[in-house]
Amino acid sequence: MDNQEAVIALHNVRKQYGSFVAVHEANFSIGRGEFFALLGPSGCGKTTTLKMIAGFEQPTDGQVFLEGVNVSEVPPHKRNVNTVFQQYALFPHMTVFDNVAFGPRSKKIQETEVVRRVTEMLDIVRLGEFANRRPSQLSGGQQQRVALARALVNYPSALLLDEPLAALDLKLREAMQIELKRIQREVGITFVFVTHDQGEALTMSDRIAVMSEGHVEQIGSSADIYSRPESLFVAGFIGSANLLPGTVVSSDGSGIRVDLVGGTQVVVPVGNSASNVSLAAGAQVTVVLRPEHVHFDPQGQVSVSVTDSVYQGSSVRIVGRMENGTEVSAIVGVEPGVRAPLPGETTLMTWHPEIPYLLAGWPEMAGSTSTNVDSIEASL
Ligand code: ATP
């Protein structure tokens, strides 16, 4: 994507506070009409990146382009982007209509055009019948949609959203994810949103930039990032994974043979690996198995002693230990006639031959990323 097609482009953008680097050389473009997420744990630099696009922060180095124009020195109110924050900051004494009309009226747009635009936006966010209410007479989700309508009514080149759903309850948040996506499709404006919630990013985004410690680790579609992570960080942060360290034994047309630490051999299909994996014999690698791809079968490959078996309605979550002590987890469907293994049982874990995926290096913690409370807490 060159600068002309891109609505937003970052060229070698770096942000430093004193000696601390909050964002390291970010280089990426966001296309017209794209729903783009900046995703990562707290402190990874996603809000700082968004603020540099909005103009609330200046890059220490590098340039920000909007519609092909270098805006690095342009103040926020002169950039054709709008930001929706966690706190909606609606004017409490004004009606919904007047809140949304505030922007166009202060730009001295003709009142008939203001009415047309506000009516259009309130329809898009499905609040037409609430036009005369005040914000205090609305639910959290409705207030959120007023804030969106107010930001969209000026037809910005891009809408920037900083954890826009964080203040909402889980069920409402899930419904609003679908609603936000619908609104974005309808208005066709580029949305860039910051979230630490990977489920939210996977649900809404066309593309996701996964950030860690100021670095953009990977950019791709939800499916790319989930099924073809490029690093141990991305594999562990997006969804849950069993990370099984091992060493490459050999590689040929029939697959990549990996000796897992502790003895078992796993064959990884050719091509199922991150781009930086060395296939040389002796290379340290990690086999990734997603819990939903693991099942239990008398013909299975790896012995697991089950420690927990938790019924979750549509599935059963099983946690167990391999013979080398590594903890693994599996999600198995609840099906008639299929009995999930119980705590205390030893069973055999297996997977479809196309499933194993290979990453370079060894993880800090081998095994399931969804059961280690300390490492999960550190990644929030
Ligand atoms: P969160 O979800 O917690 O907001 P984030 O990924 O959005 O996290 P940023 O707000 O971008 O993170 O902050 C990135 C790093 O830069 C953090 O370590 C933060 O403490 C630091 N930082 C942010 N703003 C400043 C500032 N004005 N002065 C010094 N350090 C800052």
Side-chain angles (χ1 to χ4, degrees), residues 148-221:
L148 272 177
R150 193 178 54 175
L152 289 167
V153 77
N154 293 320
Y155 303 134
S157 295
L159 187 69
L160 312 179
L161 304 112
D162 191 359
E163 301 265 6
L165 308 180
L168 307 176
D169 289 341
L170 178 63
K171 278 210 162 166
L172 184 54
R173 196 157 75 227
E174 286 175 354
M176 273 303 291
Q177 291 168 3
I178 308 289
E179 188 67 2
L180 255 186
K181 181 84 191 137
R182 180 194 64 76
I183 292 169
Q184 189 268 343
R185 251 198 322 266
E186 209 157 308
V187 291
I189 289 173
T190 304
F191 276 30
V192 184
F193 85 109
V194 159
T195 181
H196 66 273
D197 179 337
Q198 39 116 354
E200 193 162 294
L202 291 173
T203 304
M204 292 196 284
S205 319
D206 295 315
R207 282 192 308 153
I208 301 172
V210 185
M211 294 186 70
S212 167
E213 297 180 356
H215 293 275
V216 175
E217 290 261 329
Q218 187 171 351
I219 298 182
S221 67

Side-chain angles (χ1 to χ4, degrees), residues 15 17-18 20-23 40-51 57 162-163 194-196 211 214 380:
K15 181 65 185 181
Y17 296 108
F20 175 75
V21 183
V23 177
S42 178
C44 71
K46 50 197 190 299
T47 301
T48 304
T49 304
L50 194 81
K51 284 181 179 167
E57 291 283 1
D162 191 359
E163 301 265 6
V194 159
T195 181
H196 66 273
M211 294 186 70
L380 290 176

Side-chain angles (χ1 to χ4, degrees), residues 243-256:
L243 303 177
L244 308 178
T247 312
V248 175
V249 177
S250 65
S251 166
D252 57 33
S254 65
I256 309 152

Side-chain angles (χ1 to χ4, degrees), residues 72-298:
S72 309
E73 308 286 319
V74 176
H77 65 278
K78 295 207 169 143
R79 297 188 186 192
N80 190 23
V81 293
N82 266 336
T83 308
V84 176
F85 297 98
Q86 251 182 57
Q87 303 305 329
Y88 316 134
L90 301 175
F91 300 117
H93 58 286
M94 286 188 195
T95 63
V96 165
F97 189 97
D98 289 341
N99 261 282
V100 179
F102 186 82
R105 280 179 182 152
S106 38
K107 288 189 173 166
K108 306 269 181 283
I109 290 172
Q110 259 201 346
E111 189 59 19
T112 47
E113 172 63 6
V114 172
V115 171
R116 190 195 66 73
R117 281 197 198 183
V118 174
T119 309
E120 177 196 2
M121 281 307 156
L122 288 179
D123 279 349
I124 287 177
V125 300
R126 305 194 216 228
L127 284 177
E129 60 196 275
F130 296 92
N132 294 320
R133 289 211 191 168
R134 291 186 200 282
S136 61
Q137 298 167 315
L138 299 176
S139 70
Q142 290 164 340
Q143 290 180 29
Q144 161 70 264
R145 283 181 282 152
V146 179
L148 272 177
R150 193 178 54 175
L152 289 167
V153 77
N154 293 320
Y155 303 134
S157 295
L159 187 69
L160 312 179
L161 304 112
D162 191 359
E163 301 265 6
L165 308 180
L168 307 176
D169 289 341
L170 178 63
K171 278 210 162 166
L172 184 54
R173 196 157 75 227
E174 286 175 354
M176 273 303 291
Q177 291 168 3
I178 308 289
E179 188 67 2
L180 255 186
K181 181 84 191 137
R182 180 194 64 76
I183 292 169
Q184 189 268 343
R185 251 198 322 266
E186 209 157 308
V187 291
I189 289 173
T190 304
F191 276 30
V192 184
F193 85 109
V194 159
T195 181
H196 66 273
D197 179 337
Q198 39 116 354
E200 193 162 294
L202 291 173
T203 304
M204 292 196 284
S205 319
D206 295 315
R207 282 192 308 153
I208 301 172
V210 185
M211 294 186 70
S212 167
E213 297 180 356
H215 293 275
V216 175
E217 290 261 329
Q218 187 171 351
I219 298 182
S221 67
S222 300
D224 276 350
I225 285 188
Y226 188 75
S227 59
R228 300 197 61 84
E230 277 290 311
S231 65
L232 285 160
F233 173 81
V234 175
F237 188 71
I238 308 290
S240 56
N242 294 300
L243 303 177
L244 308 178
T247 312
V248 175
V249 177
S250 65
S251 166
D252 57 33
S254 65
I256 309 152
R257 258 154 255 281
V258 177
D259 265 348
L260 296 187
V261 171
T264 313
Q265 195 167 95
V266 174
V267 180
V268 179
V270 176
N272 266 13
S273 57
S275 56
N276 62 345
V277 170
S278 163
L279 300 183
Q284 290 190 344
V285 288
T286 294
V287 173
V288 182
L289 294 173
R290 296 284 185 191
E292 68 273 23
H293 294 145
V294 169
H295 47 269
F296 298 94
D297 187 293

